[in-house]
Short mmCIF file of all heavy atoms in Angstrom, two decimals:
data_model
loop_
_atom_site.label_atom_id
_atom_site.label_comp_id
_atom_site.label_asym_id
_atom_site.label_seq_id
_atom_site.Cartn_x
_atom_site.Cartn_y
_atom_site.Cartn_z
N GLU A 36 23.34 -74.21 -12.49
CA GLU A 36 22.43 -74.61 -11.41
C GLU A 36 21.65 -75.87 -11.76
O GLU A 36 20.72 -76.25 -11.05
CB GLU A 36 21.48 -73.46 -11.10
CG GLU A 36 22.16 -72.30 -10.42
CD GLU A 36 21.21 -71.21 -9.98
OE1 GLU A 36 20.06 -71.20 -10.45
OE2 GLU A 36 21.61 -70.38 -9.14
N TYR A 37 21.99 -76.54 -12.85
CA TYR A 37 21.39 -77.81 -13.21
C TYR A 37 19.87 -77.71 -13.42
O TYR A 37 19.17 -78.72 -13.36
CB TYR A 37 21.70 -78.87 -12.16
CG TYR A 37 23.16 -79.27 -12.09
CD1 TYR A 37 24.07 -78.47 -11.42
CD2 TYR A 37 23.61 -80.42 -12.70
CE1 TYR A 37 25.43 -78.82 -11.36
CE2 TYR A 37 24.95 -80.79 -12.64
CZ TYR A 37 25.84 -79.98 -11.97
OH TYR A 37 27.18 -80.34 -11.93
N GLY A 38 19.37 -76.52 -13.63
CA GLY A 38 17.93 -76.34 -13.82
C GLY A 38 17.12 -76.63 -12.58
O GLY A 38 15.92 -76.87 -12.66
N ALA A 39 17.76 -76.58 -11.41
CA ALA A 39 17.08 -76.96 -10.17
C ALA A 39 16.11 -75.91 -9.66
O ALA A 39 15.07 -76.24 -9.07
CB ALA A 39 18.10 -77.28 -9.08
N PHE A 40 16.42 -74.65 -9.87
CA PHE A 40 15.64 -73.56 -9.27
C PHE A 40 14.62 -72.99 -10.24
O PHE A 40 14.91 -72.80 -11.43
CB PHE A 40 16.57 -72.44 -8.79
CG PHE A 40 17.31 -72.76 -7.54
CD1 PHE A 40 18.56 -73.36 -7.60
CD2 PHE A 40 16.77 -72.47 -6.29
CE1 PHE A 40 19.25 -73.67 -6.45
CE2 PHE A 40 17.46 -72.78 -5.13
CZ PHE A 40 18.70 -73.38 -5.21
N ILE A 41 13.46 -72.69 -9.72
CA ILE A 41 12.46 -71.95 -10.48
C ILE A 41 12.44 -70.49 -10.08
O ILE A 41 12.03 -69.62 -10.85
CB ILE A 41 11.06 -72.58 -10.30
CG1 ILE A 41 10.11 -72.06 -11.36
CG2 ILE A 41 10.50 -72.37 -8.89
CD1 ILE A 41 8.80 -72.84 -11.44
N GLN A 42 12.91 -70.19 -8.87
CA GLN A 42 12.93 -68.82 -8.38
C GLN A 42 14.00 -68.69 -7.31
O GLN A 42 14.10 -69.53 -6.41
CB GLN A 42 11.56 -68.44 -7.80
CG GLN A 42 11.38 -66.97 -7.48
CD GLN A 42 9.95 -66.66 -7.07
OE1 GLN A 42 9.20 -67.53 -6.67
NE2 GLN A 42 9.58 -65.39 -7.16
N ARG A 43 14.79 -67.62 -7.43
CA ARG A 43 15.85 -67.35 -6.46
C ARG A 43 15.48 -66.18 -5.57
O ARG A 43 14.96 -65.15 -6.03
CB ARG A 43 17.14 -67.02 -7.19
CG ARG A 43 17.91 -68.23 -7.70
CD ARG A 43 18.53 -69.00 -6.56
NE ARG A 43 19.76 -69.69 -6.94
CZ ARG A 43 20.62 -70.18 -6.09
NH1 ARG A 43 20.41 -70.04 -4.79
NH2 ARG A 43 21.71 -70.79 -6.50
N PHE A 44 15.74 -66.32 -4.29
CA PHE A 44 15.59 -65.23 -3.33
C PHE A 44 16.35 -65.63 -2.08
O PHE A 44 16.82 -66.76 -1.98
CB PHE A 44 14.10 -64.95 -3.01
CG PHE A 44 13.33 -66.17 -2.61
CD1 PHE A 44 13.44 -66.72 -1.34
CD2 PHE A 44 12.46 -66.79 -3.51
CE1 PHE A 44 12.74 -67.86 -0.97
CE2 PHE A 44 11.75 -67.93 -3.15
CZ PHE A 44 11.88 -68.46 -1.89
N ASP A 45 16.47 -64.72 -1.14
CA ASP A 45 17.18 -65.03 0.12
C ASP A 45 16.28 -64.73 1.30
O ASP A 45 15.76 -63.62 1.44
CB ASP A 45 18.46 -64.20 0.23
CG ASP A 45 19.51 -64.60 -0.78
OD1 ASP A 45 19.77 -65.81 -0.90
OD2 ASP A 45 20.06 -63.71 -1.46
N LEU A 46 16.08 -65.72 2.15
CA LEU A 46 15.39 -65.56 3.43
C LEU A 46 16.41 -65.87 4.52
O LEU A 46 16.85 -67.01 4.66
CB LEU A 46 14.19 -66.51 3.54
CG LEU A 46 13.06 -66.35 2.52
CD1 LEU A 46 12.00 -67.41 2.77
CD2 LEU A 46 12.46 -64.95 2.60
N TYR A 47 16.76 -64.85 5.27
CA TYR A 47 17.81 -65.01 6.27
C TYR A 47 17.23 -65.30 7.65
O TYR A 47 16.13 -64.84 7.99
CB TYR A 47 18.66 -63.74 6.34
CG TYR A 47 19.39 -63.42 5.07
CD1 TYR A 47 18.92 -62.40 4.22
CD2 TYR A 47 20.51 -64.13 4.70
CE1 TYR A 47 19.59 -62.12 3.03
CE2 TYR A 47 21.19 -63.84 3.52
CZ TYR A 47 20.72 -62.84 2.69
OH TYR A 47 21.37 -62.56 1.52
N PRO A 48 17.96 -66.06 8.45
CA PRO A 48 17.50 -66.28 9.84
C PRO A 48 17.61 -64.99 10.64
O PRO A 48 18.40 -64.10 10.29
CB PRO A 48 18.48 -67.34 10.36
CG PRO A 48 19.70 -67.21 9.50
CD PRO A 48 19.22 -66.76 8.15
N LEU A 49 16.81 -64.90 11.66
CA LEU A 49 16.90 -63.73 12.55
C LEU A 49 18.25 -63.73 13.25
O LEU A 49 18.74 -64.79 13.69
CB LEU A 49 15.77 -63.76 13.58
CG LEU A 49 14.36 -63.59 13.03
CD1 LEU A 49 13.34 -63.77 14.15
CD2 LEU A 49 14.19 -62.22 12.39
N PRO A 50 18.88 -62.57 13.36
CA PRO A 50 20.18 -62.52 14.05
C PRO A 50 20.03 -63.00 15.50
O PRO A 50 19.05 -62.67 16.17
CB PRO A 50 20.55 -61.04 14.00
CG PRO A 50 19.71 -60.46 12.91
CD PRO A 50 18.44 -61.25 12.88
N ARG A 51 20.98 -63.80 15.95
CA ARG A 51 20.93 -64.26 17.33
C ARG A 51 21.83 -63.39 18.20
O ARG A 51 22.79 -62.79 17.72
CB ARG A 51 21.35 -65.73 17.43
CG ARG A 51 22.81 -65.99 17.08
CD ARG A 51 23.17 -67.45 17.33
NE ARG A 51 24.55 -67.73 16.97
CZ ARG A 51 25.57 -67.54 17.77
NH1 ARG A 51 25.39 -67.05 18.98
NH2 ARG A 51 26.80 -67.82 17.37
#
Side-chain angles (χ1 to χ4, degrees):
E36 289 186 344
Y37 293 79
F40 285 90
I41 195 168
Q42 191 173 20
R43 279 289 210 165
F44 52 77
D45 292 312
L46 298 178
Y47 297 103
L49 293 175
R51 66 176 179 85

